[in-house]
Amino acid sequence: AQSVAQPEDQVNVAEGNPLTVKCTYSVSGNPYLFWYVQYPNRGLQFLLKYITGDNLVKGSYGFEAEFNKSQTSFHLKKPSALVSDSALYFCAVRDMDGGATNKLIFGTGTLLAVQP
Amino acid sequence: DTGVSQNPRHKITKRGQNVTFRCDPISEHNRLYWYRQTLGQGPEFLTYFQNEAQLEKSRLLSDRFSAERPKGSFSTLEIQRTEQGDSAMYLCASEGSYNSPLHFGNGTRLTVT
């Protein structure tokens, strides 16, 4: 069965510093990987995805993520954090093993707090 | 693309009552998902529709829960005889293909008193 782990409940970073939010996954087939952001009392907003191709993918608001197959990781990064980046971040994986649904499975989330 | 719309945004009900939520997906999307999210947790998969066919239901979905998607358009999620443990945010999402991201609505927050 597919699963996603986000080992940090919270990440604290000063504005202007680089940030990393960690994600590891487990699938039996090829992974489709996604990052979403959630603001209070709102649904999830898509940031970026890895399907195939270059391991480094770029997304919305200056975020990027690197797919590492050997480490089964898909860490989210940003070179310079903004206070407005403070939110809840979710990593998600879809196991493309040919199953009927190939549903998206989410991690437990990481709260990013950017201090001014 | 008007986005995924969910109604109501908030629902407060007494234990034992029935509630129904509605989701209007993006019009050209044939795949529709329901997820449940509790405080401090990621969204948990509940059920999936492709057009009008309900293809998968999570074991989280007890017999008190039922979902429909008549004519493959909007979807409804009904909870019968609500319990306090049903209190959560119920999220609906739709997509056009497996390569594309899920588009989420803003959710319906259910509080069972």
Side-chain angles (χ1 to χ4, degrees), chain A residues 36 41 49 101 103-104, chain B residues 9 35 37 56 95 99 102:
Chain A
Y36 285 82
N41 297 313
K49 65 178 180 180
T101 305
K103 57 187 175 287
L104 208 56
Chain B
R9 287 296 311 275
Y35 283 82
Q37 185 179 22
E56 185 172 349
E95 67 179 1
N99 287 350
L102 288 184

Side-chain angles (χ1 to χ4, degrees), chain A residues 63-76:
Chain A
F63 284 94
E64 57 188 30
E66 185 167 11
F67 170 62
N68 188 316
K69 187 174 182 178
S70 62
Q71 297 186 4
T72 61
S73 67
F74 190 57
H75 301 329
L76 182 69

Side-chain angles (χ1 to χ4, degrees), chain A residues 21-22 44 56 60 64 66 75 80 83-84 86 89-90 109:
Chain A
V21 182
K22 295 179 180 178
L44 281 68
L56 184 65
S60 307
E64 57 188 30
E66 185 167 11
H75 301 329
S80 179
V83 172
S84 57
S86 299
Y89 290 81
F90 290 99

Side-chain angles (χ1 to χ4, degrees), chain B residues 18-58:
Chain B
N18 299 344
V19 294
T20 299
F21 311 141
R22 176 177 172 128
C23 171
D24 288 272
I26 293 171
S27 58
E28 62 267 28
H29 287 177
N30 61 358
R31 296 184 178 87
L32 185 147
Y33 299 79
W34 284 97
Y35 283 82
R36 180 172 66 189
Q37 185 179 22
T38 53
L39 197 62
Q41 298 297 317
E44 297 174 298
F45 170 78
L46 291 179
T47 190
Y48 160 71
F49 289 86
Q50 182 160 330
N51 299 312
E52 67 276 10
Q54 187 175 19
L55 296 185
E56 185 172 349
K57 292 171 59 174
S58 166

Side-chain angles (χ1 to χ4, degrees), chain B residues 71-83:
Chain B
K71 302 179 182 179
S73 56
F74 71 92
S75 177
T76 58
L77 178 67
E78 180 183 15
I79 309 175
Q80 296 182 328
R81 305 182 303 282
T82 52
E83 302 173 356

